[in-house]
Amino acid sequence: MTRTFLGLPTAPPGVGHLRGERPFPEAAKDALADTQLRRNLGKATATIRAKRAAVVSELHDWAELRAAGAAIKDHVLAHLDRYLVQLDDQVSARGGTVHWARDAAEANQLVAGIVRATGASSVVKVKSMATQEIGLNEALADAGIAAWETDLAELIVQLGHDAPSHILVPAIHRNRAEIREIFLREMGKVGVPAPPGLTDEPRALAEAARLHLRRKFLDAEVAISGANFAVAETGTLVVVESEGNGRMCLTLPKVLITVMGIEKLVPTWRDLEVFMQLLPRSSTGERMNPYTSMWTGVTPGDGPQEFHLVLLDNGRTATLADPKGRSALRCIRCSACLNVCPVYERTGGHAYGSVYPGPIGAVLSPQLTGVADNPSLPFASTLCGACLDACPVAIDIPQMLVHLRSRVVEDKREHRRLPTPERLLASSAAWAMARPDRWGRALRAARLGRALGGRRHRISTLPPPLAGWTATRDLPVPPPETFREWWRRTHDTANPPGDGESAR
């Protein structure tokens, strides 16, 4: 029986990959110490940035395309109930079966049940962020079903017993030599082994992957995919990719299961046209994707003869309920924000602890899980604004980060009886700044800090709670006189700016 209730408040804990085992600052510290990782990230992100800039500059109407993409997404989010029902009706009318999953646990149960009903003991997968989000591979393994990734980068991650670190290039943290070692060591354990004389040339590595995966494709009875978009007016699903492995998954098996977040809708084919220009340029730096696969329900005698669509909430309606945070659901998973982010470029994706790393992960993951489960991610940013400039659907990530930081503070305030050192410090500063006479006395008292500056005239060590600041940066010593004192001395007046009633 199909259930259409959506809305567990957040993604459930203990299921999927939205919560890290360690807070971001702690994990990032280890990542910063890995010089090989930083070299890999720096080279890869610089290459992608340059390619993207070149193809974006070719379009004179790029700003208009961005605005159109944002408007379409906002329209969909405002009318999500209507378009989801329309999609359900259209997929069902064309021979597909639609399942509604409130959270990761329910989605995993649905997919495992469908696979078991076919009698299959293994499935092939085309790259899907949603299935990584819900931990589908682990759930299938618990049900005795092996899931084989077929995207090249995902294959590298799976064979390396690793985790993805980038939305578009999950193995961005690996270089060619590391990939060669993984293929030689692991391929033979789970299928066709890599050639003994395998080199680290990209062509040789791709050929080894092709031979290994071809047997998986030919043996597969069931495939699982994600979806980049779904067209509500016809029930058409869309997957864009660069290798063709996705096309093999979508056409060869008898049964196809697609797991899709409920926000991936576009109303019409004409709306899809906008995103087919925005996505490839912003993701791979290409004018169009090499492989764009579209299917509508079931076609007798052509492709899979059984199609299931799992519509996933998993915290999305909770995100939609926040007017200041809902635009994160515009995201088309292009990864442009990651490739320009100075924080991501130095720490990589694993430090974020979520399948969604980088700037978009810093605003999306805390909303899907609730900020209490991801309190450090909104602070994983310099607020430089590069992500907003790069985003093809104009998500104001910096403004959203500030909003989520305030939610983190409010959550701590509600759940802690004793105030934190930061709260005490901020409260003290607010009390001092509330009156000009208090603020003047505070400024004069701050001059005592000049004694801590030494010969360098920089304060490098302060006691708690200020020790956290000087642990990573120096503090300039206070000036020998305040602005007010300077004003009195140079203007010969007893009423400098900021004193008395004039400052209120």
Side-chain angles (χ1 to χ4, degrees):
M1 185 175 74
T2 300
R3 290 191 290 175
T4 56
F5 172 76
L6 294 176
L8 280 183
T10 56
V15 184
H17 303 289
L18 289 173
R19 300 165 173 86
E21 296 179 357
R22 300 187 297 168
F24 179 83
E26 183 181 328
K29 185 176 182 180
D30 291 344
L32 289 170
D34 188 338
T35 55
Q36 182 63 57
L37 172 67
R38 295 181 66 176
R39 281 195 295 268
N40 294 351
L41 290 169
K43 181 178 180 180
T45 54
T47 300
I48 298 172
R49 282 198 305 269
K51 290 178 63 180
R52 177 190 177 275
V55 295
V56 166
S57 65
E58 297 173 350
L59 297 182
H60 69 279
D61 60 346
W62 179 254
E64 289 79 5
L65 276 172
R66 287 183 80 210
I72 293 168
K73 279 291 187 176
D74 284 346
H75 172 76
V76 168
L77 295 175
H79 304 281
L80 193 58
D81 53 348
R82 172 160 60 90
Y83 287 122
L84 284 171
V85 172
Q86 184 181 12
L87 178 70
D88 188 334
D89 290 343
Q90 293 299 321
V91 171
S92 300
R94 288 161 172 79
T97 302
V98 179
H99 309 265
W100 298 68
R102 290 175 293 179
D103 59 19
E106 190 165 304
N108 289 335
Q109 184 180 13
L110 282 167
V111 175
I114 295 168
V115 177
R116 276 198 300 262
T118 69
S121 59
S122 66
V123 299
V124 290
K125 291 180 63 200
V126 56
K127 182 175 166 183
S128 166
M129 298 296 293
T131 61
Q132 294 166 8
E133 173 190 326
I134 65 177
L136 179 60
N137 285 10
E138 293 85 350
L140 291 177
D142 291 341
I145 301 164
W148 302 114
E149 300 289 352
T150 63
D151 174 85
L152 177 56
E154 292 287 355
L155 175 67
I156 294 166
V157 169
Q158 185 177 41
L159 291 177
H161 308 287
D162 204 348
S165 62
H166 191 276
I167 289 176
L168 179 69
V169 194
I172 195 173
H173 56 289
R174 298 289 193 182
N175 60 31
R176 294 185 305 176
E178 292 173 313
I179 295 169
R180 172 184 175 274
E181 292 301 319
I182 291 172
F183 281 7
L184 287 171
R185 183 179 68 247
E186 301 291 339
M187 274 186 171
K189 299 177 183 178
V190 293
V192 177
L198 180 66
T199 70
D200 64 1
E201 289 299 313
R203 183 188 296 271
L205 294 173
E207 178 65 12
R210 187 185 72 82
L211 293 174
H212 177 82
L213 290 172
R214 183 57 56 92
R215 177 49 53 190
K216 302 292 186 187
F217 290 133
L218 294 175
D219 291 344
E221 298 288 326
V222 181
I224 298 173
S225 84
N228 292 97
F229 306 102
V231 183
E233 72 173 347
T234 60
T236 301
L237 280 296
V238 184
V239 165
V240 296
E241 38 115 10
S242 299
E243 300 167 7
N245 293 335
R247 175 98 25 111
M248 301 285 279
C249 282
L250 298 169
T251 57
L252 289 179
K254 296 178 181 178
V255 178
L256 174 61
I257 306 167
T258 297
V259 181
M260 186 190 84
I262 58 175
E263 80 282 13
K264 292 296 187 70
L265 283 170
V266 295
T268 68
W269 278 86
R270 188 169 186 179
D271 298 317
L272 180 63
E273 180 182 318
V274 173
F275 295 101
M276 296 308 290
Q277 296 179 75
L278 289 171
L279 180 56
R281 285 178 167 84
S282 294
S283 57
T284 56
E286 297 171 297
R287 296 177 183 88
M288 63 182 295
N289 286 91
Y291 294 89
T292 300
S293 300
M294 303 182 184
W295 67 100
T296 307
V298 174
T299 303
D302 183 14
Q305 297 301 289
E306 185 178 335
F307 172 57
H308 298 266
L309 174 61
V310 178
L311 294 173
L312 175 69
D313 185 339
N314 207 40
R316 285 160 174 80
T317 51
T319 305
L320 187 64
D322 185 350
K324 295 183 178 179
R326 66 172 59 132
S327 63
L329 296 176
R330 292 182 195 165
C331 178
I332 58 175
R333 309 293 192 266
C334 69
S335 77
C337 62
L338 280 70
N339 299 325
V340 299
C341 178
V343 176
Y344 174 86
E345 185 177 355
R346 288 158 178 79
T347 63
H350 293 159
Y352 293 82
S354 168
V355 71
Y356 302 116
I360 188 60
V363 295
L364 184 59
S365 299
Q367 295 191 87
L368 294 178
T369 64
V371 294
D373 281 9
N374 266 311
S376 65
L377 286 188
F379 298 89
S381 170
T382 64
L383 300 180
C384 67
C387 50
L388 170 58
D389 292 340
C391 179
V393 287
I395 302 173
D396 193 344
I397 293 177
Q399 188 64 38
M400 202 178 301
L401 286 166
V402 174
H403 165 63
L404 291 174
R405 290 177 184 186
S406 70
R407 285 183 54 187
V408 171
V409 172
E410 290 300 323
D411 181 78
K412 289 181 178 179
R413 183 176 298 171
E414 290 178 7
H415 293 90
R416 288 192 181 188
R417 293 183 178 179
L418 297 177
T420 63
E422 292 86 352
R423 182 181 171 187
L424 287 174
L425 188 62
S427 299
S428 300
W431 179 85
M433 292 179 181
R435 292 181 56 88
D437 56 334
R438 295 176 190 166
W439 183 236
R441 289 194 294 269
L443 291 176
R444 288 192 293 274
R447 274 195 305 229
L448 298 174
R450 291 181 60 80
L452 301 175
R455 295 180 179 179
R456 296 176 57 242
H457 301 289
R458 310 288 290 181
I459 301 174
S460 57
T461 304
L462 285 173
L466 299 174
W469 177 275
T470 54
T472 55
R473 58 183 70 80
D474 289 341
L475 192 69
V477 296
E481 63 178 345
T482 68
F483 173 79
R484 295 175 182 183
E485 291 169 336
W486 170 85
W487 184 272
R488 291 192 185 100
R489 178 171 56 80
T490 57
H491 291 74
D492 192 25
T493 176
N495 189 31
D499 270 356
E501 294 299 323
S502 63
R504 299 186 183 185

